[in-house]
Amino acid sequence: MPYKVNPDSFGFLVTDVARLIRAEMDRRISEAGLGVTAAEGRTLSHAARAGVVRQNVLAERMGVEAMTLSATLDRLEAQGLIERQPDPTDRRAKLVHVTEKAGDMLERMAPISAALRTDASLGIAPDEWDRLLELLKTVRATLSAAKSELAAKESTPE
């Protein structure tokens, strides 16, 4: 008898919701004619969230390959939305930071994100939505802590 997979397990639900949100955000950004692609908008948002960050760290946080991110950053830099500078602690590494011009673009994207959140929360009471966000933050913190503990164990000499 074949193994039955639960399509409503935590992993499938989180993955499905993330995929659906990303696809809808991509569609809405494209329709808005902001002058950035959905991937550029996503990268800009992640860069703003991270602050000044190494390019490879930003790629890891976004879950994309460094080369894919590099091409997107090239386009954002050409538009004056981000700047890359050598990391003073490692000249091979580049630090990414958003420019003042990026603030304007992020402000233009904000209502699109807000409308998507509103649509995603339809049928959910505001207090339940807030609780969902808090639970997801707890899951994120738990998984981040586990990842940090594993990294610390792997870097500790025996």
Side-chain angles (χ1 to χ4, degrees):
M1 177 197 291
Y3 182 78
K4 291 193 179 199
V5 175
N6 178 4
D8 292 331
S9 68
F10 173 77
F12 279 124
L13 287 170
V14 169
T15 300
D16 288 348
V17 169
R19 177 181 45 79
L20 291 165
I21 288 171
R22 183 174 173 165
E24 184 59 18
M25 189 66 180
D26 288 357
R27 185 187 69 73
R28 292 179 187 203
I29 285 178
S30 178
E31 284 182 356
L34 299 178
V36 294
T37 66
E40 292 164 353
R42 196 167 31 260
T43 300
L44 192 58
S45 294
H46 278 277
R49 175 186 181 204
V52 177
V53 64
R54 278 190 180 180
Q55 189 168 314
N56 65 323
V57 172
L58 183 59
E60 181 183 325
R61 288 182 184 173
M62 291 180 64
V64 299
E65 294 296 323
M67 290 304 295
T68 301
L69 179 65
S70 182
T72 304
L73 291 174
D74 287 345
R75 293 188 303 272
L76 290 171
E77 193 167 35
Q79 293 179 61
L81 297 171
I82 63 109
E83 290 180 350
R84 288 182 280 191
Q85 298 174 343
D87 183 337
T89 63
D90 181 352
R91 296 189 62 73
R92 296 168 297 166
K94 296 283 187 188
L95 294 175
V96 176
H97 64 91
V98 297
T99 64
E100 196 169 305
K101 184 177 177 183
D104 296 334
M105 181 61 70
L106 290 165
E107 283 183 21
R108 292 173 63 199
M109 290 170 42
I112 298 168
S113 298
L116 180 54
R117 281 191 302 277
T118 298
D119 291 348
S121 66
L122 288 174
I124 301 174
D127 60 326
E128 289 179 316
W129 183 258
D130 291 342
R131 179 70 177 140
L132 172 62
L133 295 178
E134 290 305 316
L135 291 169
L136 289 171
K137 288 177 194 176
T138 299
V139 171
R140 178 178 62 190
T142 301
L143 293 174
S144 293
K147 181 179 176 184
S148 295
E149 287 176 26
L150 180 60
K153 285 180 185 177
E154 290 176 350
S155 67
T156 303
E158 293 182 26

